[in-house]
Amino acid sequence: MGNSEAGAPDRRSLHERIAADLRDEIMSGDLAPSDNLPSTTRLKARSEASSATVQKALQLLKEEGLTVGRPGAAVTVRPRRQRTMRPAAYMAPADADAPYRWLTEASKHGGRASTKLLDVTETVPPADVAAALELGEGVTALQRRQLLLIDDEPVELVKCYYPLTIASGTALTERRRIKGGTPTLLAELGFPPRLSVDRVSARVPTQEEYSALQLPSSLPVLRTLRVLYSDDERPVEAAVMAKAGHLYELQYEFTAE
């Protein structure tokens, strides 16, 4: 615990540093689901910390949903500590009469997946979205904002943007969920998804993300800017997705060329 051999000293409080090291052990699998965390006595010894400081660290992990604890019992890693999502699995349009692919993929990890449409508006998108959609400065796009949930707990805030040349006069503009998801509708409109490009970054959550995702602290969120291209490399959708970084990881698969 303490300063790294090279670089700036760790100026976080001691309980935050203890929690950070335990969080890494949980997320890397060194502490597996249902494993007991090290005892208070052991954590005090390895961190040169007081009992109160160790308890503050453990409370942080409980609030983050990584551990569970009961009075008089050891603190353990939650059985479902982190979900691995495979974005490539839900890019393609869903089959006829099938649910949106995100719902089926998320449900494979256990739990009941659902979506909540928050609003549908015309707005000037963020600069990176406008550039991805090849929109001029100040040009509006259609935004569909929704919350993805598992067992009624919010897990991802999603804002999807569409050029008005594609969205106007279609079901995209209606304030209702789209059967099969927007990839299915885009294919029906003559814009079948051909390529998806992700840009993933870790950021401190915005006020909107903090509130919508019911985050326990300012731990980073994973922000993904996903651009969907149709024929002739035409961008037809740009989505900004934010999920809790300590509860989710993204899995991408590549083949050597």
Side-chain angles (χ1 to χ4, degrees), residues 85-95 99-105 162 180-187 191-198 226-231 236-237 239 241 251-252:
M85 305 300 291
R86 299 175 57 249
Y90 50 89
M91 185 194 90
D95 296 331
Y100 176 37
R101 283 186 180 272
W102 184 88
L103 296 174
T104 55
E105 286 298 313
Y162 306 89
T182 52
T184 298
L185 177 59
L186 287 170
F191 304 102
R194 301 300 188 194
L195 173 69
S196 180
V197 178
D198 282 8
R226 173 170 299 153
V227 184
L228 194 62
Y229 296 87
S230 188
D231 296 325
V236 295
E237 177 188 272
M241 300 169 282
Q251 178 178 321
Y252 293 92

Side-chain angles (χ1 to χ4, degrees), residues 217-237:
S217 65
S218 290
L219 285 171
V221 293
L222 291 177
R223 180 191 189 266
T224 302
L225 171 61
R226 173 170 299 153
V227 184
L228 194 62
Y229 296 87
S230 188
D231 296 325
D232 300 320
E233 299 183 354
R234 179 176 180 174
V236 295
E237 177 188 272

Side-chain angles (χ1 to χ4, degrees), residues 101-129:
R101 283 186 180 272
W102 184 88
L103 296 174
T104 55
E105 286 298 313
S107 296
K108 291 178 181 178
H109 298 278
R112 181 177 57 84
S114 60
T115 64
K116 180 180 180 181
L117 182 63
L118 302 177
D119 57 46
V120 179
T121 58
E122 289 187 21
T123 185
V124 176
D128 54 356
V129 170

Side-chain angles (χ1 to χ4, degrees), residues 202-218:
R203 304 186 182 187
V204 173
T206 65
Q207 294 180 64
E208 179 188 20
E209 292 162 351
Y210 186 93
S211 176
L213 296 174
Q214 301 176 15
L215 298 174
S217 65
S218 290

Side-chain angles (χ1 to χ4, degrees), residues 1-21 46-48:
M1 280 304 151
N3 300 347
S4 58
E5 294 182 1
D10 191 336
R11 300 187 184 279
R12 292 174 295 180
S13 61
L14 181 54
H15 79 277
E16 290 176 316
R17 282 181 271 155
I18 295 171
D21 288 347
R46 83 179 195 183
S47 308
E48 298 181 0

Side-chain angles (χ1 to χ4, degrees), residues 85 90 102 146-149 153-158 213 222 224 241-244 248 250:
M85 305 300 291
Y90 50 89
W102 184 88
Q146 63 181 332
L147 195 60
L148 309 184
L149 308 99
E153 292 185 3
V155 299
E156 189 167 31
L157 180 65
V158 181
L213 296 174
L222 291 177
T224 302
M241 300 169 282
K243 58 174 68 65
Y248 290 85
L250 304 178

